[in-house]
Amino acid sequence: NMPETGNLKVELINASGQQVSTLFSQRFQKGYYQLPLAGKIDNLPAGVYVLNIEGAGKKAVVRMIIK
């Protein structure tokens, strides 16, 4: 959910704390979005990753397991 128009940045971090990729970095209008990861994470090795999400003055961290 983007509560207001602004920039959204989603970074993928591996278990070693290294940034693997910036999955999204663009401006979004206010509203609800689903951000597809297919094609962006398909070639990654199995493991635990973290998505750092920043946008509209807020930050979130999401753990993700790729099998």
Side-chain angles (χ1 to χ4, degrees):
N1 175 30
M2 285 290 287
E4 59 189 52
T5 298
N7 295 321
L8 178 71
K9 186 175 184 180
V10 180
E11 296 176 330
L12 182 66
I13 310 297
N14 66 18
S16 299
Q18 300 169 317
Q19 181 179 335
V20 175
S21 175
T22 298
L23 300 175
F24 298 94
S25 183
Q26 61 193 69
R27 188 167 181 82
F28 284 89
Q29 298 296 319
K30 177 181 177 179
Y32 290 90
Y33 294 90
Q34 291 182 353
L35 302 175
L37 298 179
K40 295 180 180 278
I41 61 170
D42 295 345
N43 295 324
L44 293 173
V48 177
Y49 293 84
V50 172
L51 292 174
N52 282 337
I53 305 166
E54 294 184 35
K58 297 183 180 186
K59 294 182 182 182
V61 176
V62 177
R63 269 183 62 177
M64 177 174 72
I65 298 173
I66 296 178
K67 294 183 178 186

